[in-house]
């Protein structure tokens, strides 16, 4: 989303959407003992920041990768569900042949659709505030994976150094060692 939207969200109590100081904010600052020069300096600094962010939005927009709820489905879920959270017909058919109840399949679908709707609602909510919810979630997930790999590598070193098993982050008998 744009830098201007973020600026407006940060300063909406004191500033107008065009970057000018609100009269009420000026009056509040005066009543708190600030002098005109300090208020004008503050208003000018923030107006300059607003103008710079607006210029950057126009000349060098920030990338805004779009992630959908489907991007966060597990590989198994991608085999079972469509991007909107509905079950794939071939999955329903195979599960019914296995004896899975249609009620359970309907419940699975209901839950996944709620999950997709919640993701979409959060994504829209944060986009209005200039935050890319999907990107934040993806970065968090990638960071978690890196942390896991780093912990696993450290555990390999700890095992070679005969560290106390209770101090290890994972069970030492895990099959990936």
């Amino acid at each position: 989303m744009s830098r201007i939207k973020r600026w407006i969200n940060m300063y909406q109590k004191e500033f107008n959407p065009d970057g000018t100081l609100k009269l009420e904010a000026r009056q509040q600052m005066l009543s708190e003992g600030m002098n005109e020069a300090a208020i004008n300096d503050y208003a000018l600094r923030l107006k300059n920041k607003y103008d710079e962010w607006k210029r950057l939005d126009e000349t060098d927009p920030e990338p805004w990768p779009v992630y959908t709820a489907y991007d966060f489905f597990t590989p198994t879920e991608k085999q079972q569900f469509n991007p909107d959270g509905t079950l794939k017909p071939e999955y329903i058919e195979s599960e019914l042949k296995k004896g899975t109840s249609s009620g359970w399949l309907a419940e699975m679908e209901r839950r996944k659709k709620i999950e997709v709707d919640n993701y979409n609602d959060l994504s829209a909510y944060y986009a209005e505030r200039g935050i890319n919810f999907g990107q934040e979630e993806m970065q968090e997930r990638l960071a978690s994976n890196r942390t896991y790999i780093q912990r696993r590598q450290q555990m390999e070193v700890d095992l070679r150094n005969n560290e106390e098993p209770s101090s290890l982050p994972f069970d030492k008998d895990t099959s990936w060692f």
Side-chain angles (χ1 to χ4, degrees), residues 1-11 50 53 57 126-131:
M1 191 52 63
S2 74
R3 294 171 183 96
I4 288 299
K5 269 196 172 178
R6 280 200 311 276
W7 189 94
I8 290 169
N9 284 325
M10 287 188 291
Y11 299 109
Y50 171 91
W53 283 21
D57 278 348
Y126 283 107
E128 289 174 5
R129 286 147 184 81
I131 299 168

Side-chain angles (χ1 to χ4, degrees), residues 63-80:
W64 189 271
V66 176
Y67 292 97
T68 65
Y70 190 73
D71 294 317
F72 297 94
F73 285 12
T74 66
T76 302
E77 290 172 330
K78 287 181 179 182
Q79 292 174 349
Q80 299 169 336

Side-chain angles (χ1 to χ4, degrees), residues 40-100:
N40 290 339
D41 180 61
Y42 174 69
L44 181 62
R45 281 186 289 119
L46 279 146
K47 175 66 170 147
N48 288 339
K49 184 177 181 180
Y50 171 91
D51 290 341
E52 175 65 11
W53 283 21
K54 184 175 181 179
R55 185 190 65 75
L56 286 171
D57 278 348
E58 293 166 356
T59 60
D60 185 23
E62 292 181 317
W64 189 271
V66 176
Y67 292 97
T68 65
Y70 190 73
D71 294 317
F72 297 94
F73 285 12
T74 66
T76 302
E77 290 172 330
K78 287 181 179 182
Q79 292 174 349
Q80 299 169 336
F81 296 97
N82 294 308
D84 66 353
T86 57
L87 284 169
K88 292 183 175 182
E90 60 272 14
Y91 178 75
I92 294 172
E93 186 179 320
S94 73
E95 287 301 303
L96 289 173
K97 286 179 184 174
K98 291 179 187 176
T100 304

Side-chain angles (χ1 to χ4, degrees), residues 100-113:
T100 304
S101 77
S102 59
W104 172 245
L105 293 173
E107 179 62 15
M108 282 177 63
E109 184 174 86
R110 184 188 74 78
R111 289 179 184 186
K112 185 54 76 175
K113 286 167 81 174

